[in-house]
Amino acid sequence: MEISTTIEEKREMRRRRKEKTDLTEILRKSWYYLRLSVRHPSRVHTWDAIVLTAASPEQAQLYEWQLNRAKRMGRIASSTVTLAVPDPDGARIGSGAATLNAISALSDHYRCLDVSNQVENAKNSSSQSSVSNRTLNNEVHHQSMINLTNKHVLLLHAGGDSKRVPWANPMGKVFLPLPYLAADDPDGPVPLLFDHILAISSCARQAFKNKGGLFTMTGDVLPCFDASTMVLPDDSSCIITVPITLDVASNHGVIVASKTGTVNGTSSLCLVENLLQKPSVKELVEKQAILRDGRTLLDTGVIAVRGKVWVDLLKLANSSQTMISELLKHRKEISLYEDLVAAWVPEKHEWLKLRPFGKELIAGLGSHMMFSYCAYNLSFLHFGTSSEILDHLAGSNAALVGRRHLSSIPATTVSDIASSAIILSSNIAPGVSIGEDTMVYDSSLVSGLQLGSQSIVVGVNFPGDHGDRLKDDSFHFILPDRHCLWEVPLVGRKERVIIYCGLHDNPKNSYSRDGTFCGKPWKRVLHDLGIQESDLWSLLDTQDKCLWNAKIFPILPYFDMLSLALWLMGMCTNNNNSMLLLWKSSQRISLEELHKSVDFPQLCLESSNHQADLAAEIAKACISYGLLGRNMSQLCEEILQREVSGVETCRDLLSLCPNLEDRKSRILPQSRVYQVQVDLLRACGEDTKAHTLEENVWTTIADQTASAVKYGFGEYLSESNNASTSTHQDNGLDNYSYIPRRAKVELAVRVDFVGGWSDTPPWSLERFGCVLNMAICLEGSRPVGTIIETTTTAGLLICDDTNKQLHIEDPSSIAAPFDHDDPFRLVKSALLVSGIIHDRFLSKTGLKIKTWANVPRGSGLGTSSILAAAVVKGLLQIMEGDESNENVARLVLVLEQIMGTGGGWQDQIGGLYPGIKFTSSFPGVPLRLQVIPLMASTQLVLELEQRLLVVFTGQVSSCSLCPADLFLFCTKC
């Protein structure tokens, strides 16, 4: 029996290793949650606060700018508090102390808010309070503490100096470009690592439910897994782990978890027994850290804290300032992953007591336990080195990457840009060559540049009008394969210094051992160039001599820096003596000094202006030459980064719009013309004009929809009028006699599985759409229906299931548009699209129309469209017209536009056609629909009928991005 169990376990482990959840699926789901949590935080929980740690006040200022930008771009909810907290005095205190310092800063922030509210309340109070300021402050402190224990906080450690990714040092590694899924939003900002971390964390927020807590992540790791399914223990800390091979474990932290716990097919939850740091294989064996499949548990750096342990962590943080002062005084550090978490692992207590403030950590946190939540399907993407970053943009992840995003790129006949190159937010001039797998970000490249393969270029802006070297085509610059090149503005200087190194250079590796510069050992670099050690490093400096502290980068006029860059990279063999003299006579800076000298405000300003200018050029080209297919609203968001001139740019673009009216292209939808003007008017602050013009957008969409269905709805009405008049004259109305007719139509509601909103105009009029949905009955019956009867009394009588009714004496008086508050606009619209108000027998006959929908309003089951389908179908039966499901579905599509709801075709398709079906729409005139029934087995249908529960949440929404206002549960027999 034991042998059988072991074999099954091995099979299960092999299955887990093979069945890694698709990265695209995980990220798309995470972004879906992120967008919902930002736009509707009351429905999909969002973070109450997001806190970033920073290495210095200057870096914190940059992070604040990035956080504000993320809010403006819809990455963070407006209700979320955002803070960037620098380490005190810009000194290193360790990730553990930085955690306590950040929580303390957040607590102070909330306390200040509470004090402000108390002061405001006191001002508004009619009675004078006799409470002292000290008492008030104590009460506020106590209340703030209580409030914060119920908050959900995301803490992101981003305060490192990025030594191994030096080009990301100025921007902060967490904000490096990561264009996964960039093609999903081609006119949005370039996705950053930070954005994807926010997306993953938005799923994690759902796992916290309503219990307050802290979720800690690191700024150089993207843990790709479905965090919404996490099981977090109450009143405990929990570290997220994933099985990895032993060779990887030797460079990371390892968790030793209990062999017992809660285990399922995708995860396990076990008590943490020990913590190891960069262990050898021998240590892994001794500490029993190796799993049955030969792997071990990687510490991902993701930690969740909930309930009572969160309360105690808050108390420790609020009393940590003395501790932090002592750390600064004695230059000590407290690590989050070695020291602080060790307080929750009894096995580490004896070791921890010997560490700085270890006893205090145990006293404050030691009564709690830590669990390991092992996510078997987690993909651990570490962005620790430049080569790792390029690796994550290639290989199995290549299909995820948007390789051209918000950039100006010349034609292939005047440039040589590899198809695998990644060009992000950059302006590329003709005459540029870019090699395979090279990434260019936030740059302007001029003719004469040749960038090798597998290189990284960031923030480089070659002056397009600088001197005669560009004018006479003599300029030529080569960046070798596997190199990094970037520019940085310096405090107090006009020049931007040019920095470069090899892709695999590790700035921390020492000169005497395996240190390199531009891929060559230091001794060879110095020998080839004639440079002395004393030129780079002070003889009095006790630090290891390495690239990080080598004063090698000259600060000179731009083209002199470029010439010396070629020389230092070994690309210029001529004039070595003159280059050496120029280099030695220049002021030089090291990466370490650069880290402290970056002009962060100027960096932000130049980056935002560059992106705004690019967006403006793209928008101008779209208006001048294109079919207005770009998202002008998002482009305007980028343009408005220029606070003053951005509005003027939008006004200039708006002035181009009248020319669109002259084009009158049959392939340029008029709705796009109006929408572009609406977006530009809003960007210019002219909201009233935009709102007025927006009515034209919906009117033209309705007309385009009608044209796609009936070759022009207005024409169709006119033809119906003429046809009915002609018929009356031919047949003689005087001889017409009353014929009783009755139509009863009952329809199911629908559940949408996938593809919703691809059916909706104007999308479905211009692009392929497809939806998978299923018709369902509720409590054994079709809940939506109508009864339509002819009456001997002329006119129309409409009544619904709420006992509201309306009598219309003259049917021909019905005309769109209808008031949005009109309870009968659905039936009126159905009368219009069916053409019955012009049918000959209504001159002698009336109609009674009764409707019902035994479904909660706003339940997300497509009720209104399906009711419209029932009414249209019933009217066509009365008229003896074409009541086919396809014709009804298309007419209801027109009806939706007349009502102003802007719906598509999938709701009515879901109710008209039984069972499960896959429906496609093909754009054109006419719009074609293809419904393919999916033949479900009798057993599957029986299981669904027995086990499927539809639960209405009571929440009503009209938002296109919100999930259905119901839950589907499959019960287990």
Side-chain angles (χ1 to χ4, degrees), residues 54 137 513 549 556 575 592 612 857 932:
N137 286 334
R513 290 192 289 273
N549 54 33
L556 290 167
N575 303 318
E592 183 179 34
R857 181 180 178 276
I932 302 176

Side-chain angles (χ1 to χ4, degrees), residues 69 125 232 282 293 372 534 536 637 689 694 860 888 894:
R69 184 174 185 271
S125 175
L232 300 178
K282 180 181 178 182
D293 65 352
S372 161
S534 58
L536 298 173
E637 285 286 341
K689 288 184 179 179
E694 195 168 25
V888 171
V894 181

Side-chain angles (χ1 to χ4, degrees), residues 475-742:
F475 174 73
H476 195 66
F477 182 87
I478 299 174
L479 182 69
D481 293 348
R482 295 174 295 280
H483 273 66
C484 303
L485 177 73
W486 67 105
E487 292 180 11
V488 181
L490 301 179
V491 174
R493 289 184 172 272
K494 294 181 179 180
E495 305 95 341
R496 291 168 60 94
V497 64
I498 301 174
I499 312 294
Y500 31 87
C501 67
L503 184 74
H504 299 288
D505 290 345
N506 184 347
K508 296 191 292 185
N509 288 349
S510 69
Y511 163 84
S512 58
R513 290 192 289 273
D514 51 359
T516 59
F517 174 64
C518 292
K520 300 174 186 177
W522 273 113
K523 289 183 179 179
R524 180 180 169 186
V525 171
L526 269 58
H527 176 270
D528 291 348
L529 299 178
I531 295 175
Q532 304 298 316
E533 281 187 47
S534 58
D535 294 328
L536 298 173
W537 299 286
S538 170
L539 297 177
L540 302 176
D541 197 340
T542 58
Q543 297 182 77
D544 277 348
K545 299 171 184 177
C546 59
L547 176 55
W548 181 250
N549 54 33
K551 297 173 72 83
I552 194 169
F553 303 106
I555 304 174
L556 290 167
Y558 197 85
F559 283 97
D560 287 339
M561 285 191 291
L562 283 179
S563 298
L564 285 176
L566 289 171
W567 176 69
L568 288 167
M569 288 188 289
M571 301 301 294
C572 177
T573 57
N574 298 327
N575 303 318
N576 188 65
N577 289 334
S578 62
M579 290 289 109
L580 180 60
L581 287 173
L582 178 62
W583 179 81
K584 281 193 171 186
S585 63
S586 67
Q587 180 184 354
R588 300 187 300 279
I589 192 170
S590 67
L591 292 174
E592 183 179 34
E593 293 169 326
L594 183 71
H595 179 64
K596 303 171 184 177
S597 306
V598 177
D599 189 338
F600 289 109
Q602 185 65 20
L603 183 72
C604 296
L605 179 65
E606 291 178 355
S607 177
S608 59
N609 287 348
H610 170 79
Q611 293 167 15
D613 292 343
L614 266 175
E617 290 301 314
I618 293 170
K620 183 178 179 180
C622 173
I623 295 172
S624 301
Y625 315 118
L627 295 176
L628 310 184
R630 308 300 293 252
N631 188 328
M632 193 61 63
S633 177
Q634 285 189 317
L635 291 174
C636 288
E637 285 286 341
E638 293 286 337
I639 293 170
L640 292 175
Q641 289 187 85
R642 280 190 177 272
E643 293 183 2
V644 178
S645 61
V647 173
E648 291 303 315
T649 300
C650 290
R651 291 190 189 281
D652 292 341
L653 293 171
L654 190 60
S655 68
L656 299 175
C657 290
N659 297 331
L660 298 173
E661 303 290 340
D662 301 332
R663 302 215 313 242
K664 297 293 182 185
S665 171
R666 289 179 60 85
I667 60 173
L668 178 60
Q670 189 64 26
S671 59
R672 289 192 194 177
V673 176
Y674 288 128
Q675 185 62 58
V676 164
Q677 294 178 70
V678 168
D679 292 337
L680 289 170
L681 284 169
R682 287 206 172 108
C684 296
E686 299 183 31
D687 292 337
T688 303
K689 288 184 179 179
H691 180 74
T692 302
L693 191 60
E694 195 168 25
E695 295 296 325
N696 291 355
V697 176
W698 296 111
T699 301
T700 52
I701 289 176
D703 183 64
Q704 290 164 23
T705 305
S707 296
V709 175
K710 280 289 183 182
Y711 297 90
F713 187 64
E715 297 171 7
Y716 170 64
L717 280 181
S718 176
E719 290 168 5
S720 299
N721 246 326
N722 295 334
S724 57
T725 302
S726 175
T727 304
H728 296 168
Q729 292 170 349
D730 292 343
N731 295 331
L733 285 174
D734 293 338
N735 298 326
Y736 179 75
S737 59
Y738 167 74
I739 301 175
R741 296 180 185 176
R742 185 177 188 270

Side-chain angles (χ1 to χ4, degrees), residues 857-877:
R857 181 180 178 276
S859 62
L861 294 172
T863 308
S864 61
S865 296
I866 294 171
L867 179 58
V871 176
V872 170
K873 193 176 187 71
L875 291 171
L876 291 173
Q877 287 179 9

Side-chain angles (χ1 to χ4, degrees), residues 69-191:
R69 184 174 185 271
K71 276 194 174 185
R72 191 177 72 251
M73 295 298 178
R75 308 294 203 237
I76 299 175
S78 58
S79 60
T80 299
V81 171
T82 56
L83 284 181
V85 181
D87 288 344
D89 302 330
R92 282 185 168 275
I93 56 175
S95 55
T99 299
L100 298 175
N101 185 54
I103 297 172
S104 175
L106 180 64
S107 183
D108 289 342
H109 177 84
Y110 276 110
R111 193 177 302 123
C112 289
L113 290 179
D114 289 340
V115 168
S116 297
N117 291 336
Q118 290 275 12
V119 171
E120 191 64 29
N121 291 337
K123 287 181 180 178
N124 297 331
S125 175
S126 57
S127 60
Q128 296 294 323
S129 173
S130 60
V131 181
S132 68
N133 287 336
R134 176 174 294 182
T135 303
L136 179 62
N137 286 334
N138 289 338
E139 290 178 356
V140 168
H141 177 79
H142 178 69
Q143 188 60 43
S144 298
M145 181 73 177
I146 294 174
N147 291 340
L148 195 50
T149 60
N150 297 320
K151 301 293 184 183
H152 301 86
V153 180
L154 171 64
L155 174 60
L156 191 57
H157 282 284
D161 46 26
S162 304
K163 286 182 181 177
R164 299 186 68 187
V165 192
W167 55 268
N169 178 285
M171 70 180 75
K173 196 192 301 183
V174 68
F175 294 107
L176 62 80
L178 183 60
Y180 287 168
L181 303 182
D184 289 0
D185 190 13
D187 295 313
V190 174

